[in-house]
Amino acid sequence: MNTNGFLNIGVIKMLEFNKSYVIDDNQQPIAVQIPIAEFEKIEEILENYGLAKLMEEVDEEKALSKDEALKYYQSLKEENVAS
């Protein structure tokens, strides 16, 4: 964790993945499959990183509580999904 209490994106490098390659008819890799639990772990790390970056951008503004920040971040995610 960094000093903000958020996982550093470098943590992803330390994770070991159980991956399976999907290949085409020419034996060329075209995709990778990973277990859903590992995907969710990656997703959580990226979301935490994004939240930390958002918090850094507004460093001079009035600080939000953790709950306020999470609600705001969730609203941003919902806006982007709806688009």
Side-chain angles (χ1 to χ4, degrees):
M1 286 193 180
N2 67 18
T3 55
N4 294 330
F6 290 96
L7 290 172
N8 187 313
I9 199 68
V11 170
I12 290 179
K13 292 179 183 178
M14 295 187 321
L15 297 175
E16 290 192 25
F17 300 104
N18 297 308
K19 57 190 173 226
S20 300
Y21 292 94
V22 178
I23 56 174
D24 65 13
D25 293 338
N26 297 319
Q27 302 301 307
Q28 296 297 313
I30 58 170
V32 177
Q33 293 177 324
I34 61 173
I36 192 70
E38 292 178 14
F39 171 78
E40 289 170 345
K41 189 181 295 186
I42 294 168
E43 192 173 46
E44 180 182 357
I45 290 168
L46 292 173
E47 287 178 354
N48 287 341
Y49 178 78
L51 180 57
K53 284 302 207 182
L54 238 144
M55 292 169 71
E56 287 174 9
E57 288 177 12
V58 295
D59 200 25
E60 294 179 11
E61 295 180 15
K62 177 186 168 264
L64 298 175
S65 70
K66 179 181 174 184
D67 288 338
E68 290 170 327
L70 287 171
K71 285 178 187 175
Y72 177 68
Y73 182 64
Q74 185 63 35
S75 73
L76 292 176
K77 283 177 40 179
E78 289 170 2
E79 286 177 19
N80 288 322
V81 170
S83 302

